[in-house]
Amino acid sequence: MTTTAKPPAVGVAHARVEGRDKVTGAARYASEHHFEQLAHGWFVLSTVARGRVRAVDDEAVRAMPGVLAVLHHGNAPHVATDYVSFLGPPDPTCAVFQHDRVPHAGWPVALVVAETPEQAREAAEALVVEYDEEAHDIDFRADRPDAYVPEDGQPVATKGDLEAELAASAVVLDATYGTPEQHHSAMEPHAATARWDGGRLEVFDSNQGSMWVADELAKMFSLDPASVRVRSEHIGGAFGSKGMRPHQAAAVMAATALHRPVRVALTRQQTFAVTGYRSPTAQRVRLGADPDGRLRAFGHEVLNLTSTLRPFIETSAALGRVLYDAEAHHTAHRIVHMDVPTPTWMRAPGEAPGSFAVETALDELAERLDMDPIALRARNEPAVGPLSGLPFSSRDLLGCFTEGARRFGWADRDPRPRTRREGRWLLGTGTAAATYPSGAAPSTASVTAEADGGFTVRISAADVGTGARTALTLVASEILGVDPARVTVRIGDSDFGPAWVAGGSMGTRSWAWAVTSAAEDLRDELALRGPDIPPEGLTARADTARLLAELAKKERHSFGAQFAEVAVDVRTGEVRVRRMLGIFAAGRIVNPLTARSQLVGGMTWGISMALHEEAVRDSASGRHIGADLAGYHVAANADVPLVEADWIDDPIPDDPLGIKGVGELGIVGAAAAITNAVWHATGVRHRDLPLRPDRVLRAEETGQGA
């Protein structure tokens, strides 16, 4: 078997290796695996926002055609809830049917299982659940007196005396910015099928980490970890929502009770209630600067809501801890418990809403200083981590702004607002910075040289649409020195061993490290033993825990510069994004084709965040209004104009891989660039998202942002 040197595979655009399977329907998603005697479960969700279940009147429902079981708190098996899983303490929501308490609207109170999904749905809608309803609280606002600073999660970081530096500043900005509740809205809704096979629990799922879900299920149901297998080969989007959720536990409960496979697939409406969301935020930003723009004070305090079940921090203040230097820094998070579902991670958790506040505030400060927004950012570029003091592994934010400004035509911009018009449209341009951490986590992988001349990579990675399977194919083929066509990457199976999840822009970096290590060992062994491969193949395995522990401590982040041009019709309040450009410094780009797709996707989501996305809860019922893609608006094709994403060279000299993440980066700063452009077009600031037409019209009438 030969593994001679070939042209580089990494850095060369390559179509998705599973692309044909996806477009022909051969790729099977979580709801498309077929089993004999498959039953279907349908959730019944609470219609009250707080209280207790008084009774579940299931007698009539159990007599309906096809109904096999009705699980609820009165008959469901008890499960463990006091464990620490792969990613920390579990969300208590996942341990369904354990008590009669209802902590929020949409809480799962029963599961109806039937022969067909239609029968299960009809029966679930007929099930009568009686409640003892209590007064609920969903009133999120910046001045909540019961908000507090949590103990865990590094909620506060500080340096210097913020109040003193603000007092000494020539120009001070003190403003509050708001972002609404937002939802992931993945193309493929959540689904899981559970079955027992030879004494082993198998779950076919749509998730961001099969080992994560397998670990949770094993601990929840007190099973030997080796007796649980979770597979998730193809995923139609996730964005943070597809971890351990109630439907997986419910499917396992039902499969155990009925001794047959059970599938629980959520509707679009149900995903709004039980799969997490991005918390709304209220963010106070205080900046103090000298006349030349040098920041003396940087303050960012963020409030987000969480459920009464457990704390969750939307880490929006983390962005400023690495982005800008100042004599005094103070960043803090507060949370308030309310009668709502538990929020969760959502694309660029923390940084996406945090960048809207910080990058809008920087633009406001530049206006007050009569200073170019890019020049202000350059003036406050740190040499080392502003709070940590650690060196950056690489940082070329200014290079992104320089290249972006050149390509966008920033030098031709008249900085005065409300000076460009085309008929009924006012035109404006804006910019913002982007950053996101580029960490890595321990992972295991194996690479096998097959007797037929091919190579098989096995790793519990997850391709949620990012192109991870293709990226790992390119990494393995380059290390082995073979054509990518000779490499098969198998992922999404917990039997392949521990590996990091698809999240935090750490997936490809973490997995590629494990694959590289195993492929190098295999390549070296093949060089020693020659071309003869045994029939069972020759396998090398790697675990990167030790390698990561030896990595030097540095600030490791990707960076970028976002640019946007908008047109605003002040008679109707309509805002149209005409073009966007993002230039990024994101380390070594493994596959330019899918990396650009990820960045453009994030920027498109920035359009959606700026102009459309807003989940609204009815104060009287505590339930969502319009919990579907008709009522919850996301950017459609007509909303997305020319969106360009590119990158500059970003070498990382002391990093073995040089890979950073791009999955989260594209959305960071995008909404701020758009709203800054709206200010430039109209002369009015908006500090709350989204920029609905009514807010634009009100701002035009009053001269103040709504």
Side-chain angles (χ1 to χ4, degrees):
M1 174 176 291
T2 58
T3 59
T4 56
K6 297 285 183 181
V10 172
V12 178
H14 197 291
R16 294 172 187 265
V17 295
E18 81 284 9
R20 180 180 291 275
D21 287 345
K22 286 184 173 178
V23 300
T24 59
R28 289 189 297 174
Y29 290 80
S31 286
E32 298 175 331
H33 296 273
H34 301 290
F35 302 100
E36 293 294 325
Q37 292 191 308
L38 177 65
H40 300 267
W42 203 277
F43 268 138
V44 178
L45 305 181
S46 69
T47 57
V48 304
R50 183 183 176 93
R52 291 186 180 274
V53 176
R54 183 169 64 249
V56 179
D57 186 6
D58 61 351
E59 184 176 355
V61 165
R62 284 188 285 108
M64 292 179 68
V67 173
L68 302 169
V70 180
L71 294 177
H72 53 81
H73 75 278
N75 61 17
H78 288 285
V79 297
T81 58
D82 58 349
Y83 60 87
V84 176
S85 73
F86 192 65
L87 288 181
D91 184 345
T93 304
C94 298
V96 289
F97 318 138
Q98 298 301 292
H99 52 76
D100 63 355
R101 290 291 309 172
V102 175
H104 61 76
W107 173 263
V109 294
L111 181 80
V112 177
V113 188
E115 296 286 356
T116 70
E118 293 81 9
Q119 290 171 331
R121 180 171 191 165
E122 181 182 11
E125 292 174 348
L127 184 67
V128 175
V129 180
E130 298 177 8
Y131 302 93
D132 291 324
E133 189 171 1
E134 301 170 5
H136 62 265
D137 175 15
I138 64 165
D139 182 22
F140 179 76
R141 61 183 192 276
D143 61 348
R144 288 281 306 214
D146 51 343
Y148 71 98
V149 177
E151 295 181 358
D152 299 326
Q154 296 181 322
V156 178
T158 190
K159 178 184 77 172
D161 188 331
L162 183 73
E163 300 299 336
E165 294 297 338
L166 285 169
S169 298
V171 178
V172 174
L173 174 75
D174 186 345
T176 299
Y177 303 85
T179 60
E181 179 181 323
Q182 299 165 341
H183 285 257
H184 304 75
S185 302
M187 184 179 295
E188 176 204 18
H190 300 59
T193 304
R195 68 169 182 170
W196 288 93
D197 184 21
R200 198 169 190 224
L201 174 64
E202 285 195 327
V203 177
F204 295 81
D205 191 22
S206 178
N207 64 53
Q208 293 176 239
S210 293
M211 272 299 303
W212 174 14
V213 176
D215 179 65
E216 292 254 10
L217 290 173
K219 290 174 177 173
M220 181 180 291
F221 289 91
S222 302
L223 300 171
D224 181 348
S227 69
V228 180
R229 184 184 189 186
V230 175
R231 285 187 269 183
S232 183
E233 186 178 1
H234 296 286
I235 305 113
F239 313 114
S241 72
K242 288 184 176 175
M244 184 65 198
R245 300 296 176 205
H247 65 290
Q248 294 122 321
V252 174
M253 285 182 179
T256 303
L258 296 172
H259 305 289
R260 60 189 288 185
V262 175
R263 173 173 298 147
V264 179
L266 302 185
T267 66
R268 178 67 63 187
Q269 290 84 355
Q270 289 172 337
T271 65
F272 275 78
V274 299
T275 64
Y277 56 98
R278 197 195 305 278
S279 167
T281 67
Q283 306 182 52
R284 184 187 184 190
V285 180
R286 291 186 289 169
L287 303 176
D290 290 334
D292 65 355
R294 186 176 68 87
L295 286 174
R296 302 183 66 95
F298 183 99
H300 188 190
E301 298 176 358
V302 182
L303 174 68
N304 71 266
L305 62 74
T306 189
S307 69
T308 59
L309 299 169
R310 73 178 180 111
F312 180 87
I313 305 174
E314 181 71 28
T315 55
S316 300
L319 175 122
R321 296 174 183 177
V322 298
L323 201 48
Y324 300 116
D325 204 0
E327 293 296 320
H329 258 267
H330 180 77
T331 52
H333 297 98
R334 295 183 304 138
I335 59 176
V336 58
H337 291 274
M338 296 168 55
D339 300 315
V340 295
T342 308
T344 192
W345 306 285
M346 183 166 157
R347 195 173 198 170
E351 275 77 2
S355 64
F356 164 67
V358 169
E359 291 302 293
T360 304
L362 260 290
D363 209 68
E364 292 197 53
L365 184 64
E367 176 195 353
R368 297 185 185 191
L369 290 165
D370 193 23
M371 191 173 184
D372 180 82
I374 296 177
L376 176 61
R377 289 166 172 83
R379 182 70 180 84
N380 294 286
E381 178 74 359
V384 296
L387 289 172
S388 70
L390 293 173
F392 289 96
S393 62
S394 67
R395 178 183 174 114
D396 198 4
L397 175 60
L398 298 187
C400 295
F401 272 115
T402 299
E403 177 63 12
R406 182 189 68 79
R407 290 177 54 170
F408 193 75
W410 189 261
D412 298 329
R413 176 184 191 257
D414 185 335
R416 296 173 301 166
R418 211 178 176 97
T419 56
R420 292 176 59 203
R421 182 186 289 271
E422 286 184 2
R424 63 191 180 96
W425 299 97
L426 293 173
L427 308 182
T429 53
T431 190
T435 186
Y436 199 80
S438 59
S443 298
T444 62
S446 69
V447 182
T448 300
E450 308 289 359
D452 63 3
F455 295 85
T456 303
V457 175
R458 292 175 175 85
I459 185 169
S460 294
D463 191 336
V464 295
T466 57
R469 183 187 277 102
T470 306
L472 296 178
T473 300
L474 300 180
V475 168
S477 67
E478 180 161 299
I479 298 300
L480 295 168
V482 301
D483 190 277
R486 290 174 60 185
V487 177
T488 299
V489 174
R490 295 184 59 194
I491 63 173
D493 189 333
S494 63
D495 273 1
F496 296 157
W500 182 243
V501 303
S505 279
M506 296 167 62
T508 298
R509 176 169 161 78
S510 301
W511 305 324
W513 208 326
V515 170
T516 294
S517 206
E520 287 175 341
D521 289 347
L522 179 62
R523 181 192 61 196
D524 294 345
E525 187 168 353
L526 289 172
L528 289 174
R529 65 178 291 141
D532 294 330
I533 303 298
E536 70 275 13
L538 187 66
T539 299
R541 295 177 174 84
D543 183 337
T544 61
R546 181 183 59 81
L547 296 173
L548 287 172
E550 296 172 351
L551 197 62
K553 292 187 179 300
K554 292 189 175 184
E555 291 280 7
R556 301 180 185 277
H557 304 267
S558 298
F559 294 93
Q562 303 269 18
F563 294 84
E565 180 178 27
V566 303
V568 183
D569 185 341
V570 294
R571 295 180 303 173
T572 66
E574 182 181 5
V575 178
R576 287 285 180 182
V577 177
R578 289 196 167 184
R579 61 185 176 114
M580 289 190 74
L581 170 68
I583 302 294
F584 303 95
R588 189 183 187 199
I589 302 299
V590 178
N591 185 359
L593 187 65
T594 52
R596 182 170 282 108
S597 176
Q598 282 298 295
L599 292 167
V600 168
M603 294 169 68
T604 301
W605 203 335
I607 297 173
S608 202
M609 180 179 174
L611 304 182
H612 303 293
E613 294 195 44
E614 181 181 28
V616 178
R617 293 182 185 272
D618 174 49
S619 59
S621 68
R623 299 199 298 267
H624 278 121
I625 299 171
D628 50 45
L629 294 183
Y632 180 83
H633 296 166
V634 297
N637 284 344
D639 300 299
V640 183
L642 176 64
V643 178
E644 296 180 279
D646 210 342
W647 45 83
I648 59 177
D649 288 338
D650 183 28
I652 314 172
D654 66 341
D655 192 291
L657 291 180
I659 295 173
K660 296 182 179 180
V662 299
E664 325 270 358
L665 185 62
I667 191 175
V668 181
I674 292 167
T675 56
N676 289 339
V678 170
W679 167 80
H680 188 230
T682 65
V684 179
R685 285 285 175 191
H686 290 266
R687 292 173 176 161
D688 292 283
L689 295 181
L691 272 63
R692 303 189 311 256
D694 63 304
R695 285 177 166 167
V696 175
L697 287 174
R698 194 179 310 125
E700 186 66 17
E701 293 170 358
T702 64
Q704 297 179 341

Coordinates of all heavy atoms in Angstrom, one line a residue, residues 78-81 83 90-91 94-96 215-223 244 249 253:
H78 N -38.9 6.1 37.1 CA -38.1 7.2 37.7 C -36.7 7.1 37.1 O -36.1 6.0 36.8 CB -38.0 7.0 39.2 CG -39.3 7.4 39.9 ND1 -39.7 8.7 40.0 CD2 -40.3 6.6 40.4 CE1 -40.9 8.7 40.6 NE2 -41.3 7.5 40.9
V79 N -36.0 8.2 36.9 CA -34.7 8.3 36.3 C -33.8 9.2 37.3 O -34.3 9.9 38.1 CB -34.7 8.9 34.9 CG1 -35.5 8.0 34.0 CG2 -35.3 10.3 34.9
A80 N -32.5 9.0 37.1 CA -31.6 9.8 37.9 C -31.5 11.2 37.4 O -31.6 11.5 36.1 CB -30.2 9.1 37.8
T81 N -31.3 12.2 38.3 CA -31.2 13.6 37.9 C -30.0 14.3 38.6 O -29.8 15.4 38.3 CB -32.5 14.3 38.2 OG1 -32.7 14.2 39.6 CG2 -33.7 13.8 37.4
Y83 N -26.7 13.7 38.4 CA -25.4 13.3 37.9 C -24.7 14.5 37.2 O -25.4 15.5 36.9 CB -25.6 12.2 36.9 CG -26.5 12.5 35.7 CD1 -26.0 13.1 34.6 CD2 -27.8 12.2 35.8 CE1 -26.8 13.4 33.5 CE2 -28.7 12.5 34.7 CZ -28.2 13.1 33.6 OH -29.0 13.4 32.5
P90 N -27.2 18.3 34.1 CA -28.2 18.2 33.0 C -29.3 19.2 33.2 O -29.5 19.8 34.3 CB -28.8 16.8 33.2 CG -28.6 16.5 34.7 CD -27.3 17.2 35.1
D91 N -30.0 19.5 32.1 CA -31.2 20.3 32.2 C -32.3 19.5 32.8 O -32.6 18.4 32.2 CB -31.5 20.8 30.8 CG -32.7 21.8 30.9 OD1 -33.4 21.8 31.9 OD2 -33.0 22.5 29.8
C94 N -35.0 17.5 30.8 CA -34.8 16.3 30.1 C -35.3 15.1 30.9 O -35.7 14.1 30.3 CB -33.3 16.1 29.8 SG -32.6 17.3 28.7
A95 N -35.4 15.2 32.2 CA -35.9 14.1 33.0 C -37.4 14.2 33.1 O -38.0 14.7 34.1 CB -35.3 14.1 34.4
V96 N -38.1 13.8 32.0 CA -39.5 14.1 31.9 C -40.4 13.2 32.8 O -40.0 12.1 33.2 CB -40.0 13.9 30.4 CG1 -39.4 15.0 29.5 CG2 -39.5 12.5 29.9
D215 N -23.8 9.4 27.0 CA -23.4 9.6 28.3 C -24.6 10.0 29.2 O -24.8 9.5 30.3 CB -22.2 10.6 28.4 CG -21.7 10.8 29.8 OD1 -21.2 9.9 30.4 OD2 -21.9 11.9 30.3
E216 N -25.3 10.9 28.7 CA -26.5 11.4 29.5 C -27.5 10.3 29.7 O -28.0 10.1 30.8 CB -27.2 12.6 28.7 CG -26.3 13.8 28.7 CD -26.9 14.9 29.7 OE1 -27.8 14.6 30.5 OE2 -26.4 16.0 29.6
L217 N -27.8 9.5 28.6 CA -28.8 8.5 28.7 C -28.4 7.4 29.7 O -29.1 6.8 30.4 CB -29.1 7.9 27.3 CG -29.9 8.8 26.4 CD1 -30.0 8.2 25.0 CD2 -31.3 9.1 26.9
A218 N -27.1 7.0 29.6 CA -26.5 6.0 30.5 C -26.7 6.4 31.9 O -27.1 5.6 32.8 CB -25.1 5.7 30.1
K219 N -26.4 7.6 32.2 CA -26.5 8.1 33.6 C -27.9 8.3 34.1 O -28.3 8.0 35.2 CB -25.7 9.3 33.8 CG -24.2 9.1 33.7 CD -23.3 10.3 33.7 CE -21.8 10.0 33.7 NZ -21.0 11.2 33.6
M220 N -28.7 8.8 33.2 CA -30.1 9.0 33.5 C -30.9 7.7 33.8 O -31.7 7.7 34.7 CB -30.8 9.8 32.4 CG -32.3 10.1 32.6 SD -33.0 11.1 31.2 CE -32.1 12.6 31.4
F221 N -30.6 6.7 33.0 CA -31.3 5.4 33.2 C -30.5 4.4 33.9 O -30.8 3.2 33.9 CB -31.7 4.9 31.8 CG -32.8 5.7 31.2 CD1 -32.5 6.8 30.3 CD2 -34.2 5.4 31.4 CE1 -33.6 7.5 29.8 CE2 -35.2 6.1 30.9 CZ -34.9 7.2 30.0
S222 N -29.4 4.8 34.5 CA -28.5 3.9 35.4 C -28.1 2.7 34.6 O -28.2 1.5 35.0 CB -29.3 3.5 36.6 OG -29.6 4.7 37.4
L223 N -27.5 2.9 33.4 CA -27.1 1.9 32.5 C -25.5 1.8 32.4 O -24.9 2.9 32.6 CB -27.6 2.0 31.1 CG -29.2 2.0 31.0 CD1 -29.6 2.4 29.6 CD2 -29.7 0.7 31.3
M244 N -28.8 17.0 24.6 CA -29.7 16.2 25.3 C -31.0 17.0 25.5 O -31.0 18.0 26.2 CB -29.1 15.7 26.6 CG -30.0 14.7 27.3 SD -30.2 13.2 26.4 CE -31.7 12.5 27.3
A249 N -35.1 11.1 26.0 CA -35.5 10.4 27.3 C -36.8 9.8 27.1 O -37.1 8.6 27.6 CB -35.4 11.3 28.5
M253 N -37.9 5.8 27.5 CA -38.9 5.4 28.4 C -40.0 4.5 27.7 O -40.3 3.4 28.2 CB -39.6 6.6 29.0 CG -38.8 7.3 30.1 SD -39.8 8.6 30.8 CE -38.6 9.3 32.0

